[in-house]
Amino acid sequence: MGFGEASAKDKKAVKGAEAGAAAKSAADDADWQDGDKGNSKKAARAAAKDENADSKLAAKADKAALEAAEEADNSAVKGAAKKATGSSKVTQAEIARRQALLAMAKAAPKKSAKSTAVDAPKLEENTNRNVDEASATGIDAVLGALDAAPDKKTKLTFKEYEDINLPLVKEDNPGLKMSQAKDKVFKMWERAPENPKNQEK
């Protein structure tokens, strides 16, 4: 036994301490694990499902690779058979296709580097500033301009129309009830030129 080396007794004690620590940590891990059987079964089912899905994907990939290899072999064999027979027949459809391609190549116009002129668009009069319309700034000027345009028919609300025409209807038909008189005024309102719905837009 040299200097700095541990004795067999010390090595055995260290080994026993390591084994005890490992056993203790395993016991602690077991204590911390969820003891619910349902959760463990659920986890096992999920793992089995994942494994099944992985195996299906692997089988599908293998199948696709085999099909691609087989198709490549078949196409090589078919190509070799065509070359061996030396078939030089051209179908009517192939002839028509070739003629159409040639015609399109000849008929395609060459693009010129010059730019083409575009006609100017038709100019229309700006109707935003008509002379026959009143223009004013400020409230007083606007009210004055509105009063100065008597040629336009004034728009009335039904209530204003009713206030004006109800006494006239009552005077012409004194035996009518109020509701009957109002109905008559409303029918007149529907046909009246003062009604905004009847005025031209």
Side-chain angles (χ1 to χ4, degrees), residues 39-186:
N39 283 343
S40 61
K41 287 182 181 179
K42 187 176 180 181
R45 282 195 304 270
K49 186 177 180 182
D50 290 343
E51 279 183 32
N52 193 11
D54 290 342
S55 65
K56 282 184 181 179
L57 284 175
K60 192 180 268 189
D62 290 342
K63 183 178 179 182
L66 288 173
E67 285 178 357
E70 186 176 331
E71 194 171 305
D73 290 342
N74 287 343
S75 65
V77 170
K78 287 179 184 175
K82 283 183 181 176
K83 289 178 185 174
T85 58
S87 175
S88 61
K89 289 185 178 179
V90 179
T91 63
Q92 290 290 329
E94 182 65 25
I95 293 170
R97 187 183 68 81
R98 287 180 185 171
Q99 287 175 348
L101 287 173
L102 284 172
M104 285 183 5
K106 289 180 184 177
K110 294 182 180 178
K111 294 182 181 178
S112 63
K114 296 180 183 177
S115 62
T116 58
V118 178
D119 293 336
K122 180 184 173 188
L123 296 178
E124 296 180 8
E125 181 184 351
N126 184 0
T127 58
N128 291 336
R129 296 191 181 263
N130 287 340
V131 179
D132 60 339
E133 292 181 5
S135 63
T137 57
I139 294 175
D140 295 331
V142 170
L143 290 174
L146 289 175
D147 289 340
D151 60 330
K152 289 190 175 183
K153 295 178 183 176
T154 58
K155 294 182 180 180
L156 293 177
T157 64
F158 173 69
K159 183 66 177 159
E160 293 168 342
Y161 184 81
E162 186 181 44
D163 291 342
I164 294 169
N165 291 312
L166 189 60
L168 298 174
V169 169
K170 284 277 218 178
E171 190 178 301
D172 292 342
N173 303 302
L176 291 179
K177 295 179 184 176
M178 182 60 85
S179 62
Q180 292 172 330
K182 286 187 176 185
D183 285 343
K184 192 163 189 151
V185 169
F186 181 74

